[in-house]
Amino acid sequence: MSTSERPSVRRSSVRTGVVWDAVTARIEPGASVVDIGGGTGGFAVRLAQQGHPVTVVDPSPDALAALGRRADEAGVADLVTGVQGDLTDLGAHVGPGSADVVLCHGVLEVVPDPGAALGTIAGVLREGGLLSLLVAQRHAAVVARAMAGHFQQALALLDDPDYRVGAGGRGRRYTADEVIALLADAGFAVEATQAVRVFADLVPGSLLDLEPGATAALVDLERAVAGRSEYLPLATQVHLLATR
Ligand SMILES: C[S@@+](CC[C@H](N)C(=O)[O-])C[C@H]1O[C@@H](n2cnc3c(N)ncnc32)[C@H](O)[C@@H]1O
């Protein structure tokens, strides 16, 4: 089985395809990138392969070790820098106004003060620099809990962005309006908003694994609805591009 045929790779393409397309369509050649909470480097290494210098700031030593291995294997270790750090102390690792692009994917959910975190990101971006922000959306989580028969959890989630499902539950979930307001308060102008994973989490993994061509067709469908506002409330995640 080739790498691109592996189920995990196929599922990853469904989850990240829309975001990757939007970022790579907008990013300028050679632009410097800071990937805050970039983890094991799924985005960072691919961007480095396109010639971008990328700094990944992440608190997890394990994730940073995996990032280093991945960058080595891809032959881009010279372009990828891993730094152990936190969004709240980003300014200690990245100079003020120095980044062309900041990626903040799946992190605003876990910081204690999202408004302050966006202010910190604005501080390291150069004027006119680009923020790619990906956050968990509350509406889809309500639907998912209800469809699983957890009606009380769905009810609790409706209006409580911090409601956690179980002890290890994920952090804050946003509506698109909430995150757009937070961005405006931090001085960002939103350029684009798109729906991510509208169908992907509703489709059984076994269907994608067994049905030839199903993953590619699902990726096409996700692309087709990403920019349609009527699908935004159904999306597991909201992706925004914003400039400082
Ligand atoms: C859900 S994963 C997202 C990884 C990657 N950005 C992606 O979209 O696939 C969250 C990542 O954020 C990191 N993280 C957790 N708390 C953080 C914080 N306060 N500041 C920065 N990164 C954090 C975790 O170590 C993890 O790598």
Side-chain angles (χ1 to χ4, degrees), residues 72 95 171 173 192 197:
D72 270 342
R173 297 173 178 86
R197 291 161 57 184

Side-chain angles (χ1 to χ4, degrees), residues 35-40 43 57-60 63 85-88 105-107 110-111 134 170:
D35 190 353
I36 177 72
T40 58
F43 253 72
V57 180
D58 199 289
S60 163
D86 204 86
L87 176 47
T88 50
H105 296 171
V107 182
V110 296
V111 293
L134 182 65
R170 297 205 42 202

Side-chain angles (χ1 to χ4, degrees), residues 141-157 163 165:
V142 172
V143 173
R145 297 320 297 164
M147 284 181 67
H150 301 304
F151 305 120
Q152 285 171 338
Q153 290 179 0
L155 190 61
L157 255 171
Y163 180 75
V165 179

Side-chain angles (χ1 to χ4, degrees), residues 5-98:
E5 287 168 342
R6 272 192 219 132
S8 60
V9 173
R10 288 203 301 265
R11 274 192 284 276
S12 158
S13 73
V14 174
R15 285 198 300 269
T16 61
V18 161
V19 178
W20 175 255
D21 291 350
V23 170
T24 52
R26 179 63 176 70
I27 194 168
E28 285 167 19
S32 66
V33 179
V34 173
D35 190 353
I36 177 72
T40 58
F43 253 72
V45 169
R46 287 166 80 195
L47 286 173
Q49 286 174 309
Q50 296 197 342
H52 297 282
V54 187
T55 301
V56 173
V57 180
D58 199 289
S60 163
D62 290 345
L64 292 172
L67 165 74
R69 287 193 296 275
R70 198 178 223 174
D72 270 342
E73 282 164 17
V76 291
D78 54 330
L79 283 173
V80 177
T81 308
V83 177
Q84 191 172 4
D86 204 86
L87 176 47
T88 50
D89 67 2
L90 186 60
H93 307 292
V94 181
S98 66

Side-chain angles (χ1 to χ4, degrees), residues 192-238:
T193 304
Q194 58 173 359
V196 177
R197 291 161 57 184
V198 174
F199 306 108
D201 299 334
L202 304 174
V203 175
S206 55
L207 190 151
L208 299 185
D209 295 343
L210 297 174
E211 183 79 25
T215 302
L218 177 57
V219 170
D220 287 346
L221 180 62
E222 291 281 354
R223 280 202 180 101
V225 298
R228 297 191 183 206
S229 57
E230 63 271 32
Y231 286 89
L232 189 58
L234 301 176
T236 300
Q237 292 170 303
V238 178

